[in-house]
Amino acid sequence: DTAVSQTPKYLVTQMGNDKSIKCEQNLGHDTMYWYKQDSKKFLKIMFSYNNKELIINETVPNRFSPKSPDKAHLNLHINSLELGDSAVYFCASSLVLGGTTDTQYFGPGTRLTVL
Amino acid sequence: EDQVTQSPEALRLQEGESSSLNCSYTVSGLRGLFWYRQDPGKGPEFLFTLYSAGEEKEKERLKATLTKKESFLHITAPKPEDSATYLCAVQGTGRQLTFGSGTQLTVLP
């Protein structure tokens, strides 16, 4: 009965590699998000998709590419990984974007370590 | 640009010792202020949404209040299981959430 799930939980890789993180929500929500949480615990929005359409794209290197095959899934692909990409990445979803009931629900996170 | 500042960064309380966490914010057109709880190694867990100054919400030992410049999360008679990082976030006209860095609360038995 998991609401927002992510895989993998941990990801350790070498600099220069390409990796993907998968996210799925079974809440029937229209909007999904990717956040990055750095070592100081700041959660910062990276992308937002509303019903498979990119809505928010913050200043993120174009090595990061989100892909939404359907509104229940939002995957994050990262090319040419760098040391600074090490962080915890969270997926989230909300019923609508900008509405009065757009509380965001978060997944368990993926800890990415780039060596 | 929306900004959120939380204080203190860390707070240690004895079980039963009530206290408050502060969230100061600047936002263009507040649509909502959110409180989340985050346990180590887990994702943020939603607690409250406040929409307008003067609004209050309660859940068990937690009570959130909102003014035009800040929000408080009051913890009454905390228990060790209340230990976590509490995150505050605002949503303005830009629609995305802007988070603070959190207050790490430790409740000692």
Side-chain angles (χ1 to χ4, degrees), chain B residues 30-93:
Chain B
L30 180 70
R31 298 181 65 96
L33 184 140
F34 300 80
W35 282 98
Y36 286 84
R37 169 191 171 128
Q38 186 173 22
D39 292 300
K42 296 192 175 181
E45 175 188 344
F46 171 71
L47 293 173
F48 304 108
T49 308
L50 301 167
Y51 293 103
S52 58
E55 190 175 359
E56 298 182 353
K57 288 195 176 170
E58 288 188 63
K59 180 179 179 179
E60 297 180 353
R61 295 176 292 282
L62 301 177
K63 179 180 176 180
T65 62
L66 180 65
T67 73
K68 288 186 177 180
K69 293 184 179 181
E70 56 191 351
S71 177
F72 292 94
L73 185 65
H74 307 276
I75 304 177
T76 302
K79 299 182 177 182
E81 53 262 42
D82 295 323
S83 297
T85 296
Y86 290 86
L87 300 171
C88 172
V90 294
Q91 183 184 51
T93 52

Side-chain angles (χ1 to χ4, degrees), chain A residues 9 35 37 40-45 55-56 58 90 97-109, chain B residues 1 4 31 34 36 38 41-46 49 51 85 87 91 94-102:
Chain A
K9 175 78 172 168
Y35 285 85
Q37 188 172 43
K40 295 193 174 185
K41 299 296 186 183
F42 271 108
L43 265 167
K44 189 165 173 54
I45 184 76
I55 300 297
I56 295 170
E58 290 296 303
F90 288 98
L97 177 65
T100 57
T101 56
D102 59 355
T103 297
Q104 295 183 23
Y105 296 88
F106 286 78
Chain B
E1 183 180 339
V4 176
R31 298 181 65 96
F34 300 80
Y36 286 84
Q38 186 173 22
K42 296 192 175 181
E45 175 188 344
F46 171 71
T49 308
Y51 293 103
T85 296
L87 300 171
Q91 183 184 51
R95 299 187 297 179
Q96 63 257 41
L97 291 186
T98 299
F99 279 85
S101 58

Side-chain angles (χ1 to χ4, degrees), chain A residues 50-110:
Chain A
N50 186 57
N51 205 8
K52 301 195 300 174
E53 180 183 349
L54 181 64
I55 300 297
I56 295 170
N57 183 358
E58 290 296 303
T59 307
V60 176
N62 57 16
R63 298 182 294 103
F64 291 78
S65 54
K67 286 192 169 45
S68 181
D70 55 61
K71 74 174 191 178
H73 296 84
L74 180 62
N75 303 323
L76 183 65
H77 188 76
I78 316 170
N79 289 327
S80 303
L81 278 155
E82 301 178 356
L83 293 175
D85 297 332
S86 295
V88 182
Y89 292 84
F90 288 98
C91 177
S93 73
S94 66
L95 186 59
V96 295
L97 177 65
T100 57
T101 56
D102 59 355
T103 297
Q104 295 183 23
Y105 296 88
F106 286 78
T110 295

Side-chain angles (χ1 to χ4, degrees), chain A residues 9-29:
Chain A
K9 175 78 172 168
Y10 300 96
L11 187 52
V12 181
T13 188
Q14 298 287 331
M15 261 196 322
N17 284 350
D18 303 338
K19 290 293 179 185
S20 292
I21 307 172
K22 295 185 176 181
C23 177
E24 176 181 2
Q25 54 94 4
N26 62 4
L27 297 168
H29 288 171

